[in-house]
Amino acid sequence: MSHRRMPSLRRFPLRAVADLYLVRQQLDRPRGRRLTAASLAALAEATGGIQLDSINVVARAHLLTLWSRFGVFDPAALERLIYPKRQRVLFEYWAHAACLVSTRDLPAWRRVMLDYATEHRGWSGWLQKNEGILRTVEAEVAARGPLAASDFADERAERGASGWWNWKPAAHALDYLWMSGRILVHSRAAFQKRYDLAERVLPDIARVAALDEATFRRWHLRRSLAAMGAATETDLRLYLTFPRFAAPERRKLLQAALADGEVVEIAVDGDRGRWFALAGDLAALERAAARRTPASRGTTFLAPFDSLLWHRARTHRLFHFDYTIEVYTPAAQRRFGYYSLPILSDGRLIGRADAKHHRAERRLELRHVAFETTLTDVDAALAGTADAARSLAAFVGATGLTVARTTPARLAAPLRRQCAR
């Protein structure tokens, strides 16, 4: 019996995959782009979403993510692009977590909204018990919107527990109505969401045809692979985490994309896992493999919730950089600091800067800058870190910049001198 030989897989070095990942995340020119409506939409589409988070030690997460790409910009100008009275460049929805996503992607997310309204089993018991609350909340938004959760009274007899399930009923109703696309985030006040009817937030939403289920799933796969350049099945599961696809569904989708040639399997040096890439990205991987130095040139800090870090095991695999968001770690167990920002410099993650904006003093403090033990070019690292710190201080409106300590400790004095330039 003759045996057909399976064609050998295209093989790429790990550094090429890491390099393309930075390019796709628009970090090849850190702080080097100009923020416009077009560039903002392009970033949201390239990454799949710009994550929102309420922590405000330095600045909100989405502002830090944008600063990492665009440098110093006017937050008021950004607000006019996200929350205007007319056409919005981005709108809020759930992609990896709560994110700003491109309005041009509305047909895809409209599919998720419609499915959420009919298939989200986790809501079934709550909806049966609280149908009246849901109708009342929607009617109040229609009559008086935009409204926040705080605009509704809390009529629960007992309070005391904390967490999502202790939300007042109106907050649950608002969340369900948002996820199912009946209302959308109109604006934010002190970072609190204010909701209005979907057709008043995005007037064209009623005319937008949602993607069918099969087309949406293929879109989701393409968007994820394009954002990462190349990915394993686990990467695909943990990058754009919403909506969740069961493992058999994802494998079936991948198999179909492989069969029709849209997706190809590749081999990555030093990694035994199965890797996949869009067929159209093979040329970009070849170019990355041919480069002697990374495409990313320059230094910036990354928000803990930056899309480059969404799947932190992937970050470790590609950049040999172990990162934990230590805001969730008890103080005594923190290694690098409460809000440590990874330092990206010339295509490598070289350390972490635990930063705090002392607003009353208008001072940005680098409480702890910890460089990786593998750091080789110390002078370049200090100069790049200081340049990024001065830019971040200007962005948040700080007139003072201080460095408390560094690891190794001998770098504290030279870093302070660099920051003072």
Side-chain angles (χ1 to χ4, degrees), residues 186-266:
H186 169 276
S187 53
R188 283 179 178 260
F191 208 65
Q192 185 180 35
K193 288 182 285 193
R194 299 169 70 240
Y195 300 94
D196 207 345
L197 296 180
E199 58 267 27
R200 295 204 291 240
V201 176
L202 295 175
D204 293 335
I205 193 168
R207 296 189 291 273
V208 170
L211 299 184
D212 63 66
E213 186 64 34
T215 304
F216 168 75
R217 288 171 183 261
R218 188 63 72 94
W219 173 88
H220 197 278
L221 175 64
R222 282 197 306 270
R223 179 56 54 91
S224 300
L225 280 174
M228 289 185 278
T232 66
E233 281 193 66
T234 303
D235 293 338
L236 290 169
R237 177 171 61 86
L238 294 175
Y239 185 73
L240 286 180
T241 55
F242 191 79
R244 292 184 176 88
F245 300 128
E249 293 178 281
R250 189 180 304 103
R251 292 194 187 104
K252 184 178 178 181
L253 180 63
L254 259 177
Q255 201 59 43
L258 287 164
D260 67 20
E262 184 178 22
V263 172
V264 294
E265 185 175 351
I266 63 172

Side-chain angles (χ1 to χ4, degrees), residues 42 45 91 122 127 136 138 167 218 236:
E45 291 163 18
F91 69 98
L127 292 172
T136 298
E138 188 169 17
W167 282 5
R218 188 63 72 94
L236 290 169

Side-chain angles (χ1 to χ4, degrees), residues 84-385:
K85 293 181 179 178
R86 294 186 176 86
Q87 185 62 42
R88 295 166 186 248
V89 174
L90 309 178
F91 69 98
E92 294 191 28
Y93 200 61
W94 204 267
H96 173 82
C99 285
L100 293 162
V101 296
S102 173
T103 304
R104 291 196 295 242
D105 286 334
L106 182 57
W109 296 115
R110 190 70 179 138
R111 171 78 272 146
V112 181
M113 294 172 186
L114 296 176
D115 289 347
Y116 196 96
T118 58
E119 298 176 8
H120 200 67
R121 297 185 183 91
W123 281 97
S124 57
W126 189 92
L127 292 172
Q128 289 175 6
K129 295 177 182 177
N130 297 277
E131 187 176 348
I133 292 173
L134 196 71
R135 287 197 304 267
T136 298
V137 168
E138 188 169 17
E140 284 293 297
V141 171
R144 302 192 294 124
L147 298 176
S150 58
D151 291 314
F152 294 87
D154 189 350
E155 298 178 351
R156 291 169 299 169
E158 296 183 6
R159 284 180 258 176
S162 62
W164 190 82
W165 288 109
N166 195 48
W167 282 5
K168 60 187 177 185
H172 279 295
L174 288 168
D175 191 66
Y176 175 81
L177 291 167
W178 171 51
M179 291 299 294
S180 56
R182 286 154 66 175
I183 63 175
L184 291 173
V185 177
H186 169 276
S187 53
R188 283 179 178 260
F191 208 65
Q192 185 180 35
K193 288 182 285 193
R194 299 169 70 240
Y195 300 94
D196 207 345
L197 296 180
E199 58 267 27
R200 295 204 291 240
V201 176
L202 295 175
D204 293 335
I205 193 168
R207 296 189 291 273
V208 170
L211 299 184
D212 63 66
E213 186 64 34
T215 304
F216 168 75
R217 288 171 183 261
R218 188 63 72 94
W219 173 88
H220 197 278
L221 175 64
R222 282 197 306 270
R223 179 56 54 91
S224 300
L225 280 174
M228 289 185 278
T232 66
E233 281 193 66
T234 303
D235 293 338
L236 290 169
R237 177 171 61 86
L238 294 175
Y239 185 73
L240 286 180
T241 55
F242 191 79
R244 292 184 176 88
F245 300 128
E249 293 178 281
R250 189 180 304 103
R251 292 194 187 104
K252 184 178 178 181
L253 180 63
L254 259 177
Q255 201 59 43
L258 287 164
D260 67 20
E262 184 178 22
V263 172
V264 294
E265 185 175 351
I266 63 172
V268 175
D269 291 340
D271 193 294
R272 295 183 178 180
R274 293 186 71 194
W275 285 80
F276 305 92
L278 294 171
D281 282 342
L282 289 175
L285 284 166
E286 293 282 7
R287 289 193 295 273
R291 282 193 283 268
R292 291 192 171 188
T293 58
S296 178
R297 310 303 297 171
T299 304
T300 195
F301 304 147
L302 302 178
F305 304 97
D306 195 289
S307 51
L308 188 83
L309 308 168
W310 278 349
H311 178 21
R312 290 187 291 280
R314 172 184 169 88
T315 307
H316 183 267
R317 202 180 329 131
L318 294 183
F319 299 98
H320 311 291
F321 186 79
D322 187 16
Y323 181 65
T324 300
I325 301 177
E326 294 190 341
V327 295
Y328 308 117
T329 303
Q333 299 173 26
R334 291 180 193 134
R335 297 176 59 203
F336 300 108
Y338 178 79
Y339 204 65
S340 61
L341 312 176
I343 306 170
L344 174 69
S345 185
D346 293 342
R348 296 177 175 85
L349 291 166
I350 64 167
R352 301 158 186 79
D354 179 35
K356 179 175 175 60
H357 181 203
H358 299 274
R359 289 173 175 80
E361 304 170 33
R362 297 190 66 188
R363 176 171 63 93
L364 178 68
E365 179 187 17
L366 302 185
R367 296 186 290 189
H368 182 202
V369 179
F371 293 105
E372 293 287 270
T373 57
T374 54
L375 185 66
T376 54
D377 192 340
V378 173
D379 290 342
L382 291 173
T385 300

